[in-house]
Amino acid sequence: MTTAVTRLTIVESKLFLRDTTSVVMGVAFPAVLLLLLGFAIPGFREATDDLDGLRPIDIYVPIVLAMAICTTSVSVLPTYLATYRERGVLRRLATTPVGPVRLLGAQLLVNGAGTLVAVALAVAVGTAAFGVDLPRQVPGFLIALVLGTAAMFAVGLLIAAVAPRAKTATGIGMLVYFPMLFFAGVWTPGPVMPDGLRRASDLTPLGAASQAMQDAWSGAFPSALHLAVMAGYLLLAGALAARFFRWE
Amino acid sequence: MPVIEISNLRKRYGETVAVADVSFTVDSGEIFGILGPNGAGKTTTVELLSGLRRRDGGTVRVLGKDPDRDGAELRELVGVQLQESELPERIRVSEALELYSTFYREPADWRELLDVLGLSGRRNARFGTLSGGQRQRLSIALALVGDPQVAVLDELTTGLDPAARRDTWALIESVRNRGVTVVLVTHFMDEAERLCDRVAVIDAGRTVAVDTPAALVAKVQAEHGLDRATLEDAYLALTGHEIGV
Ligand SMILES: Nc1ncnc2c1ncn2[C@@H]1O[C@H](COP(=O)(O)OP(=O)(O)OP(=O)(O)O)[C@@H](O)[C@H]1O
Ligand SMILES: [Mg+2]
């Protein structure tokens, strides 16, 4: 059974890598966006008083990481799973000793790894191209990254669970994707986010993840509120996904 | 010795009764056909005996085991080819076979299956680029890659060209000659007549006949005073149709 699970994971990784859209949008885009922001937008590399002496590019690194999480979790993952269900891939697996649950596990692993590579690439670009410091609160950053990713993957699983068809999963994914990015601060980065919006953002999984990573970057441990929100989404969306997921 | 024993099988989906009362037994080494109109409950019956769904009533024994209870054990021993089940678009033929062979404790040689099913030339092709018949052959190969004792094949030759159908028949016979018991669902009377030792005819969720193709033909000849009936005539008579002369 271990060889079967290993092979399944290897094959799923290959399939992910053959899917140019997932690789470009999920893995490469966050780093590319950072490069575009830093080099193409005037003033992005200059410290400003609005950001307590930081440069916009410093603030955008954790936001771009949140985007990396968002793309794999609500765009790539649910589409894959719903497609597998629609095409009967899960049903075929149900006739073998391995069963469909392990394919779900392999998908989570592959998308999780893709997210981590996207994060590493973006951090490397930030450091190498723009001299952005690494997070000052490393354990806090890692906790925020992992918990935020897990919470968003649970949301992705829930989308795959409730969507009857692959197209619906993609559609719901998009409906969730842009508001999530908005709350994560892609258009109004953390420090300049209006108060009301920030309070709403605190309560979304990606907003909480983005702010928790931002805090860890500047040296503060993530707040209890953000950790609780992420854990809450992980448990609630995870439980609902398990409750509603259908293999066919 | 019966390998499959089904009696008074029942299954409903909400209001729809898919299987009302199905009974038959399949002996070791037999090629057993299931015939019946669209929506008769053939797929549901094979899904129930493969342990993919839980029955509402009746008893099912496959190799002495109950699919609802001993599903995990049976999945090692029963290879299933489902109607309308695909693979990921970008997986290669050889990748899929190698992967599925790791799922079983004692798999068959997947390279040999590739040859036998005439897929060697397409081993590096992606599933998405295969023709309908090639997909079907890969699907049969996947059902056999675990070296099963029982192979359940739902509409195995639907979508195949005439030559590929003949090849598949030869394959099924060679599989049976290795001692595998085969259950196949088909809409082709020539296929049932040529391949099957016995067939069950299912209509509206009930078995209306279980016998050898020859006996079914003999019976319809006797009942309708015909001297040259075919299995198709027998089938039509059993499923409530007038048989034209
Ligand atoms: N998953 C399902 N949910 C609800 N109803 C179903 C489901 N699967 C089958 N049915 C219904 O059960 C009945 C039997 O279906 P089944 O697929 O077993 O027929 P079949 O004999 O295999 O037909 P065909 O020759 O068209 O493949 C049909 O009325 C069908 O609409
Ligand atoms: Mg059917």
Side-chain angles (χ1 to χ4, degrees):
Chain A
M1 204 45 79
T2 35
T3 44
V5 172
T6 313
R7 286 301 313 169
L8 197 57
T9 311
I10 292 173
V11 169
E12 286 306 312
S13 321
K14 286 186 184 168
L15 296 180
F16 183 93
L17 291 175
R18 281 175 203 160
D19 180 356
T20 321
T21 317
S22 303
V23 174
V24 171
M25 295 314 291
V27 181
F29 189 65
V32 172
L33 179 64
L34 212 51
L35 284 171
L36 285 176
L37 291 173
F39 286 123
I41 300 188
F44 244 70
R45 287 172 289 154
E46 277 143 42
T48 136
D49 287 343
D50 289 347
L51 302 174
D52 298 329
L54 287 170
R55 301 165 303 166
I57 196 77
D58 296 312
I59 299 297
Y60 262 95
V61 174
I63 292 174
V64 155
L65 301 190
M67 169 184 257
I69 297 175
C70 198
T71 307
T72 42
S73 61
V74 303
S75 167
V76 181
L77 180 72
T79 302
Y80 260 79
L81 294 178
T83 305
Y84 281 178
R85 177 174 48 212
E86 184 171 319
R87 298 173 62 99
V89 174
L90 301 178
R91 248 160 67 81
R92 189 197 293 277
L93 273 174
T95 69
T96 75
V98 164
V101 180
R102 290 187 176 86
L103 179 61
L104 209 106
Q107 267 295 319
L108 288 173
L109 214 64
V110 168
N111 277 288
T115 311
L116 291 186
V117 172
V119 164
L121 276 178
V123 172
V125 160
T127 314
F130 306 113
V132 175
D133 293 329
L134 291 176
R136 290 181 23 217
Q137 225 318 319
V138 175
F141 168 74
L142 292 177
I143 290 172
L145 174 66
V146 172
L147 194 57
T149 305
M152 286 298 289
F153 273 36
V155 172
L157 285 177
L158 181 57
I159 295 173
V162 297
R165 309 191 66 84
K167 282 210 164 63
T168 338
T170 309
I172 303 176
M174 284 299 111
L175 280 181
V176 175
Y177 188 70
F178 289 103
M180 282 290 171
L181 288 186
F182 180 70
F183 286 121
V186 170
W187 293 279
T188 51
V192 300
M193 202 182 264
D195 256 3
L197 178 57
R198 182 194 306 280
R199 248 171 257 122
S201 160
D202 280 336
L203 301 178
T204 67
L206 199 66
S210 176
Q211 296 188 51
M213 288 191 288
Q214 197 75 257
D215 290 344
W217 226 282
S218 52
F221 197 82
S223 73
L225 171 66
H226 293 149
L227 292 176
V229 166
M230 289 187 278
Y233 275 96
L234 171 60
L235 294 177
L236 189 69
L240 287 174
R243 167 80 179 70
F244 292 115
F245 203 89
R246 292 286 170 269
W247 300 111
E248 53 169 316
Chain B
M1 190 200 83
V3 161
I4 298 170
E5 297 175 84
I6 293 179
S7 56
N8 308 112
L9 185 62
R10 274 194 295 117
K11 174 72 184 178
R12 57 195 294 173
Y13 300 107
E15 294 293 287
T16 316
V17 179
V19 175
D21 185 5
V22 164
S23 307
F24 59 80
T25 63
V26 180
D27 289 329
S28 180
E30 239 185 339
I31 300 181
F32 188 88
I34 299 180
L35 314 178
N38 293 133
K42 304 179 297 298
T43 294
T44 306
T45 300
V46 299
E47 285 175 344
L48 291 168
L49 79 85
S50 313
L52 276 174
R53 299 184 189 283
R54 303 184 80 82
R55 61 183 179 270
D56 296 333
T59 55
V60 180
R61 291 289 175 279
V62 178
L63 298 162
K65 301 180 205 325
D66 179 344
D68 282 2
R69 215 186 43 221
D70 317 312
E73 265 174 276
L74 278 176
R75 279 187 272 281
E76 281 283 348
L77 308 171
V78 181
V80 184
Q81 185 232 241
L82 295 167
Q83 190 181 1
E84 284 162 19
S85 181
E86 302 186 30
L87 286 171
E89 199 74 14
R90 294 183 185 82
I91 199 165
R92 295 184 198 283
V93 169
S94 56
E95 255 170 11
L97 272 167
E98 186 190 5
L99 173 65
Y100 274 66
S101 76
T102 65
F103 293 173
Y104 299 89
R105 278 196 292 264
E106 291 167 27
D109 181 355
W110 63 266
R111 289 177 190 82
E112 193 192 319
L113 276 174
L114 209 60
D115 281 340
V116 173
L117 282 152
L119 283 168
S120 299
R122 301 291 279 156
R123 58 188 304 145
N124 290 321
R126 294 180 178 194
F127 182 79
T129 69
L130 297 180
S131 75
Q134 290 167 342
R135 290 178 184 205
Q136 190 77 351
R137 280 184 255 172
L138 177 56
S139 194
I140 298 169
L142 291 175
L144 299 176
V145 78
D147 200 10
Q149 292 184 23
V150 179
V152 177
L153 309 163
D154 196 353
E155 303 208 5
L156 91 148
T157 61
T158 304
L160 294 187
D161 65 47
R165 273 179 77 208
R166 299 290 157 129
D167 290 349
T168 309
W169 292 353
L171 171 78
I172 298 305
E173 279 176 336
S174 77
V175 165
R176 181 261 294 280
N177 292 341
R178 279 189 262 160
V180 180
T181 305
V182 179
V183 175
L184 57 90
V185 175
T186 183
H187 286 299
F188 299 116
M189 296 303 134
D190 55 342
E191 180 164 298
E193 208 154 14
R194 162 69 207 279
L195 274 184
C196 299
D197 301 305
R198 289 187 308 134
V199 299
V201 180
I202 298 182
D203 190 21
R206 294 170 195 277
T207 27
V208 290
V210 183
D211 216 326
T212 64
L216 293 178
V217 172
K219 195 160 168 246
V220 75
Q221 287 187 164
E223 279 174 8
H224 291 76
L226 302 167
D227 40 62
R228 289 189 57 175
T230 61
L231 183 59
E232 188 153 296
D233 295 323
Y235 168 87
L236 289 171
L238 283 163
T239 52
H241 295 84
E242 291 294 318
I243 52 175
V245 186

